[in-house]
C-alpha cells in the first residue's frame, strides 16, 4: 500500500524545518508499504492538486498531522480527500485533545476516518495494517496503565531516520537566487537545512498555557546518547559531502530538564567529534550553570530558545511559570553571549496583568540585555490546557473554538486589563521595533567585539526571524529588505573581506615558511 503523510501549511511562513512526526512515522512503517511525505509549508499544493496526486499515486491511506493553529486547514484538506474516497487518519496534539471534533461526534462535520491519540510510535503499525486490510478503526490509542494513563513509548530503541539519503531539497532555507553565489563561500552555503532531532520527551513543569505536560506526560524519557550521536554523525557527513550547512534543532521541550544527563550527552558529542551547529529550547532557570553553558558552547550550541513569556513576575505567577525569574534574564543572556551563544527569547502579551504599553516596556528591557532574537505572540488557550479550563470557568472565552476561525495574532479571550485589539497592536509594535534596520544595526554594535562570523550569523538570523511576522517570499521583498539594511550589510561585508584577505595572507606566509623549511631540509 502507498501511504501519504501530509502536514498542512501554517498560513504564514513557507519554509523552516521539516516536521519530525512525518519522518518518524515513515521510519516506523512496516517495510512492505511505501510512504510519501508532503509538507505544505515547503511544497504548496491546492486541495484539488493533492486529490489528483493521490489518485495518480493510488494512495491507500493518508495521514494528516496538525497543531491547533493549522487544524482548520488540515480539516479542509481531509474533507476534500475523503470526498474523493480516500481514507484519512489524523494525529498530533490537536486531535488528541479534541478527537470528537475530528470524528464529527460533537455535532459538527466529520473530517477523519480515524484518529491516533497521543504518541503514535506504537500504534502506527496497527493503523497501517488495519488500513491495508480494510478494517480501519475509528480510534487508536496507546495501551493504558493501571491508573488509566497512556503507556508512553520508551525512546531507548529509537528508529533509524535515514537523514543521510532523504530528499531534503524542499526544506533548503537558502532562496534559490542566492544559491549559486553562496555555494562558493567557505565550506559552502548553497544549501542550508535545519533538521529536527529529539533526544527526549516530556516536561514536568506544567505551565498553564502549555500542552506538553498533558500530552507527553511529566515523566521524562531519553534516547541513548549513542543513538543521538550516530544521527548527528550521519548529518555531519552529509553536510560535508554536499558542501552545504546542516544545523540541528533539538526539539526536546526543555533540553536541560535533567542537567546531569545533558552534560554527559554534550561531553559525548564533543568526544565523538559530532558537533554541528545546534539550537534548543532550555528554560532560563536551568541556564545558571557555567559548566553547562561551557559545554553547550563546545558542543556546537549557537542559539537557545528561552520561553521568557513576560518581564512581570505577577504574570509569570499567573501562568504557573514562577520557576522562571524575569530578574535573572539579563544575567542568563550575558552568560550565553560571553560564549557567542545568542538567545531566541519568546514573549507573550495579553496576560492578565498586562496593560497597554507592554510592548514598549518589554522591548526597552530586552534592548538593555545582550542582543538575541525576540519573538512575540499573544496568550492562547489551547484545548485541554489548564489555561483553557480556567478561562472557560471564568466565562472569558470569546471564541471557544478559535482554531476553527483562525485569525493570526487575535486573542480568543479578553485579557483583564486591555482589549483584544490592544494586544494585537502591542504584538505588532514589538515585532516592528525589534527588527527595524536601526535595531538590527544597534544589536550588531552591541556585539562588535565578537568574531565577524558570529556577527554575520546573528544578522542573517535576524533577517530570517523577521520573516515570522513579516514573511518575505519574493525576490523583490528580499531585495527591499537588504536595501533597508544596506549600511549594516556594507559594514559586515567590508570587515568580512578584510578578515578573509588577512587570513589568506597569513596562510600564504605559513606555506612559504613551510616551503623554505622543506627546501633547507632537502
Ligand atoms: C518543533 C516545534 C515547533 C517548530 C515548528 C514545527 C516543526 N517544523 O517541527 C517551531 C519552533 C517553528 C514551532 C512553532 C510553533 N509551535 Co511548536 N512545537 C514544536 C515542538 C517543540 C516539537 C514538535 C515535535 O516534533 N515533536 C516530536 C514529535 C515526535 O511529536 P509530535 O509532533 O507530537 O508527533 C507524535 C504524535 O503527536 C503523533 N502524530 C503527530 N502527527 C501525526 C499524524 C498522524 C497521521 C499520526 C497517525 C500521528 C501523528 O505521532 C508522533 C509520534 O508519537 C512541540 C512540542 C513537542 N514536544 O511536541 C511544539 C508544539 C507542537 N508547538 C506548539 C505551538 C503552540 C507552536 C506555535 C503556535 C507557538 C507560537 N505561539 O508561535 C508556533 C506555530 C508554528 C507555525 N507558525 O507553524 C504547541 C502546539 C499545541 C497545539 N495544541 O497545537 C506544542 C505542542 C508546544 C506547546 N508548548 O504546547 N513549533
Ligand atoms: S517549561 Fe516549556 S515545555 Fe515545560 S510546561 Fe513550561 S512551557 Fe511547556
Amino acid at each position: 500500500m502507498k501511504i501519504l503523510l501530509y502536514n498542512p501549511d501554517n498560513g504564514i511562513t513557507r519554509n523552516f524545518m521539516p516536521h519530525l512526526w512525518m519522518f518518524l512515522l515513515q521510519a516506523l512503517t512496516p517495510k512492505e508499504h511505501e510512504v510519501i511525505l508532503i509538507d505544505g509549508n515547503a511544497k504548496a499544493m491546492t486541495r484539488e492538486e493533492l486529490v489528483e496526486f493521490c489518485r495518480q499515486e493510488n494512495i491507500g491511506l493518508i495521514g494528516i498531522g496538525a497543531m491547533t493553529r493549522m487544524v482548520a486547514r488540515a480539516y479542509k484538506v481531509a474533507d476534500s480527500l475523503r470526498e474523493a474516497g480516500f481514507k484519512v487518519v489524523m494525529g498530533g496534539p490537536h486531535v488528541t485533545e479534541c478527537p470528537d471534533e475530528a470524528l464529527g461526534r460533537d455535532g459538527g462535520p466529520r473530517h477523519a476516518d480515524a484518529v491516533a491519540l497521543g504518541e503514535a510510535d506504537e500504534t502506527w503499525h496497527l493503523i497501517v495494517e488495519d488500513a491495508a486490510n480494510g478494517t480501519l478503526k475509528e480510534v487508536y490509542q496507546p495501551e493504558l496503565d493501571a491508573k488509566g494513563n497512556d503507556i508512553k513509548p520508551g525512546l531507548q530503541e529509537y528508529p533509524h531516520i535515514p537523514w543521510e539519503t532523504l530528499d531534503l531539497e524542499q526544506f533548503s532555507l537558502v532562496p534559490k537566487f542566492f544559491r549559486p553565489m553562496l555555494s562558493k563561500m567557505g565550506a559552502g552555503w548553497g544549501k542550508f537545512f535545519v533538521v529536527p532531532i529529539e533526544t527526549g520527551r516530556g516536561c514536568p513543569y506544567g505551565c498553564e498555557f502549555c500542552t506538553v505536560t498533558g500530552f507527553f506526560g511529566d515523566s521524562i524519557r531519553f534516547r541513548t546518547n549513542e543513538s543521538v550521536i550516530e544521527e548527528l554523525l550521519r548529518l555531519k557527513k552529509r553536510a560535508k559531502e554536499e558542501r552545504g550547512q546542516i544545523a540541528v534543532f533539538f526539539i526536546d521541550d526543555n533540553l536541560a530538564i535533567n542537567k546531569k544527563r545533558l552534560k554527559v550527552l554534550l561531553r559525548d558529542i564533543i568526544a565523538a567529534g559530532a558537533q554541528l551547529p545546534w539550537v534548543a529550547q532550555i528554560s532560563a532557570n536551568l541556564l545558571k550553570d557555567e559548566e553547562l553553558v561551557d559545554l553547550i558552547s563546545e558542543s556546537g550550541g549557537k542559539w537557545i530558545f528561552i520561553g521568557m513569556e513576560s518581564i512581570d513576575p505577577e504574570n509569570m505567577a499567573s501562568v504557573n511559570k514562577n520557576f522562571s525569574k524575569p530578574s535573572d534574564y539579563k544575567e542568563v543572556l550575558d552568560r550565553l553571549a560571553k560564549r557567542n551563544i545568542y538567545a531566541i527569547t519568546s514573549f507573550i502579551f495579553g496576560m492578565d496583568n498586562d496593560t497597554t504599553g507592554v510592548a514598549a516596556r518589554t522591548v526597552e528591557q530586552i534592548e538593555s540585555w545582550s542582543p538575541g532574537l525576540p519573538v512575540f505572540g499573544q496568550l492562547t488557550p489551547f484545548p485541554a490546557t489548564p489555561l483553557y479550563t480556567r478561562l472557560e470557568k471564568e466565562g472569558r472565552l470569546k471564541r471557544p473554538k478559535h482554531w476553527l476561525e483562525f485569525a493570526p495574532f487575535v486573542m480568543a479571550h479578553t485579557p483583564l486589563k486591555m482589549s483584544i485589539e490592544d494586544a494585537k497592536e502591542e504584538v505588532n509594535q514589538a515585532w516592528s521595533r525589534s527588527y527595524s534596520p536601526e535595531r538590527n544595526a544597534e544589536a550588531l554594535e552591541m556585539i562588535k567585539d565578537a568574531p565577524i562570523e558570529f556577527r554575520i550569523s546573528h544578522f542573517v538570523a535576524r533577517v530570517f526571524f523577521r520573516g515570522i511576522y513579516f514573511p518575505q517570499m519574493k525576490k523583490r521583498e528580499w531585495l527591499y529588505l537588504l536595501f533597508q539594511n544596506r549600511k549594516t550589510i556594507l559594514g559586515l561585508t567590508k570587515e568580512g573581506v578584510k578578515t578573509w584577505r588577512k587570513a589568506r595572507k597569513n596562510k600564504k606566509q605559513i606555506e612559504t615558511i613551510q616551503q623554505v623549511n622543506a627546501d633547507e631540509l632537502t
Side-chain angles (χ1 to χ4, degrees):
M1 178 175 66
K2 271 194 185 177
I3 302 164
L4 170 68
L5 294 181
Y6 179 78
N7 200 91
D9 74 277
N10 64 40
I12 300 191
T13 44
R14 274 269 158 79
N15 208 348
F16 167 54
M17 172 174 82
H19 286 265
L20 183 59
W21 71 266
M22 308 173 86
F23 296 90
L24 196 62
L25 294 191
Q26 185 183 37
L28 290 167
T29 306
K31 293 296 162 241
E32 62 272 27
H33 305 288
E34 184 189 336
V35 184
I36 302 172
L37 309 182
I38 298 185
D39 187 335
N41 295 300
K43 192 172 178 176
M45 280 170 107
T46 63
R47 279 180 270 157
E48 293 72 28
E49 283 167 346
L50 202 59
V51 168
E52 192 43 38
F53 175 83
C54 291
R55 277 207 189 100
Q56 279 179 8
E57 292 287 334
N58 193 22
I59 299 287
L61 175 69
I62 296 150
I64 302 181
M67 296 184 205
T68 297
R69 185 188 176 96
M70 40 280 217
V71 80
R73 283 165 188 266
Y75 287 156
K76 283 195 180 136
V77 171
D79 294 348
S80 301
L81 291 164
R82 290 183 75 239
E83 266 164 38
F86 295 102
K87 290 279 178 212
V88 173
V89 52
M90 294 187 75
H94 186 83
V95 299
T96 299
E97 286 136 18
C98 307
D100 289 346
E101 182 181 275
L103 292 171
R105 291 167 168 180
D106 64 350
R110 181 172 186 157
H111 307 287
D113 296 286
V115 290
L117 307 186
E119 295 175 56
D121 308 52
E122 281 160 12
T123 48
W124 175 241
H125 75 100
L126 300 173
I127 299 173
V128 172
E129 277 157 27
D130 285 355
N133 295 330
T135 56
L136 196 62
K137 299 184 192 68
E138 280 197 337
V139 178
Y140 290 84
Q141 187 173 9
E143 284 182 27
L144 302 179
D145 64 16
K147 287 187 188 154
N149 298 322
D150 284 5
I151 299 178
K152 307 282 178 198
L155 302 179
Q156 292 284 305
E157 300 286 320
Y158 198 77
H160 174 100
I161 302 180
W163 294 116
E164 64 281 14
T165 49
L166 286 170
D167 177 8
L168 295 177
E169 198 52 43
Q170 56 176 325
F171 300 108
S172 179
L173 288 173
V174 180
K176 272 211 172 97
F177 48 93
F178 283 146
R179 288 186 193 175
M181 179 180 82
L182 292 179
S183 63
K184 294 187 189 113
M185 270 179 66
W189 279 87
K191 285 181 190 170
F192 176 40
F193 304 110
V194 182
V195 169
I197 293 190
E198 59 181 340
T199 80
R201 288 185 196 164
C203 177
Y205 285 172
C207 302
E208 195 194 31
F209 51 80
C210 178
T211 62
V212 169
T213 308
F215 187 89
F216 287 100
D218 52 9
S219 75
I220 307 143
R221 291 146 287 148
F222 296 116
R223 284 171 68 180
T224 62
N225 290 357
E226 294 72 31
S227 103
V228 174
I229 288 167
E230 192 267 336
E231 206 166 337
L232 288 173
L233 286 171
R234 280 188 279 126
L235 284 169
K236 196 167 177 177
K237 188 161 172 260
R238 176 173 183 161
K240 199 169 168 202
E241 280 167 7
E242 290 188 347
R243 283 187 57 75
Q245 303 291 325
I246 294 183
V248 165
F249 188 151
F250 288 120
I251 52 122
D252 305 36
D253 288 297
N254 206 337
L255 187 71
I257 195 71
N258 179 335
K259 276 201 286 178
K260 204 169 148 199
R261 168 263 170 187
L262 179 61
K263 284 182 186 177
V264 178
L265 172 65
L266 299 181
R267 281 197 196 102
D268 287 356
I269 290 176
I270 297 164
Q275 295 100 322
L276 276 171
W278 61 261
V279 48
Q281 312 179 87
I282 301 181
S283 53
N285 56 315
L286 300 171
L287 287 165
K288 293 179 174 180
D289 182 325
E290 296 280 343
E291 185 189 31
L292 177 66
V293 181
D294 275 340
L295 286 168
I296 290 176
S297 162
E298 268 179 73
S299 61
K302 300 283 178 239
W303 292 91
I304 303 296
F305 183 105
I306 308 176
M308 293 191 163
E309 327 306 0
S310 174
I311 53 165
D312 174 356
E314 252 186 74
N315 273 335
M316 297 304 276
S318 75
V319 294
N320 197 29
K321 199 161 180 174
N322 249 340
F323 60 87
S324 178
K325 307 268 180 243
S327 53
D328 290 342
Y329 292 168
K330 179 177 166 33
E331 194 192 312
V332 163
L333 295 196
D334 290 349
R335 183 174 298 115
L336 291 172
K338 247 196 233 161
R339 280 101 171 157
N340 297 312
I341 303 170
Y342 299 99
I344 301 161
T345 50
S346 164
F347 292 89
I348 299 177
F349 295 157
M351 287 192 178
D352 281 355
N353 205 34
D354 277 344
T355 52
T356 47
V358 61
R361 287 192 294 278
T362 308
V363 174
E364 211 163 287
Q365 284 233 1
I366 295 174
E367 288 177 358
S368 71
W369 305 333
S370 291
L373 300 178
V375 294
F376 307 93
Q378 71 299 320
L379 189 62
T380 307
F382 287 107
T385 55
L387 174 67
Y388 193 97
T389 315
R390 172 167 69 89
L391 293 172
E392 196 175 35
K393 268 196 202 141
E394 291 171 3
R396 288 172 61 195
L397 290 174
K398 288 275 170 225
R399 294 182 296 135
K401 291 208 167 199
H402 52 91
W403 50 90
L404 295 181
E405 32 175 326
F406 177 69
F409 301 102
V410 178
M411 289 181 68
H413 70 281
T414 316
L416 287 181
K417 299 184 179 172
M418 65 204 288
S419 69
I420 292 177
E421 294 69 36
D422 290 338
K424 185 174 180 185
E425 184 46 33
E426 296 288 336
V427 171
N428 187 9
Q429 273 180 27
W431 275 100
S432 327
R433 181 165 154 188
S434 299
Y435 291 87
S436 65
E438 297 74 37
R439 178 59 198 153
N440 286 346
E442 245 172 57
L444 285 168
E445 180 59 23
M446 286 174 86
I447 55 167
K448 62 177 187 303
D449 296 329
I452 181 77
E453 63 272 23
F454 288 102
R455 281 179 285 142
I456 293 176
S457 99
H458 193 106
F459 176 71
V460 172
R462 283 190 151 264
V463 170
F464 274 104
F465 255 71
R466 179 191 177 279
I468 297 177
Y469 199 76
F470 308 99
Q472 59 253 343
M473 311 292 242
K474 299 197 182 95
K475 195 172 175 175
R476 195 164 22 95
E477 289 161 351
W478 271 103
L479 290 175
Y480 182 59
L481 181 70
L482 297 182
F483 176 75
Q484 283 184 312
N485 285 281
R486 61 192 179 283
K487 269 195 186 155
T488 308
I489 296 174
L490 208 69
L492 288 173
T493 315
K494 268 190 192 162
E495 206 186 321
V497 170
K498 223 163 113 188
T499 314
W500 175 73
R501 282 206 179 125
K502 212 169 148 189
R504 204 173 60 160
K505 206 170 146 194
N506 284 348
K507 198 175 155 211
K508 272 198 178 152
Q509 277 173 349
I510 292 169
E511 279 168 2
T512 317
I513 295 168
Q514 281 171 340
Q515 188 57 46
V516 171
N517 287 346
D519 289 348
E520 278 173 2
L521 281 174
T522 48

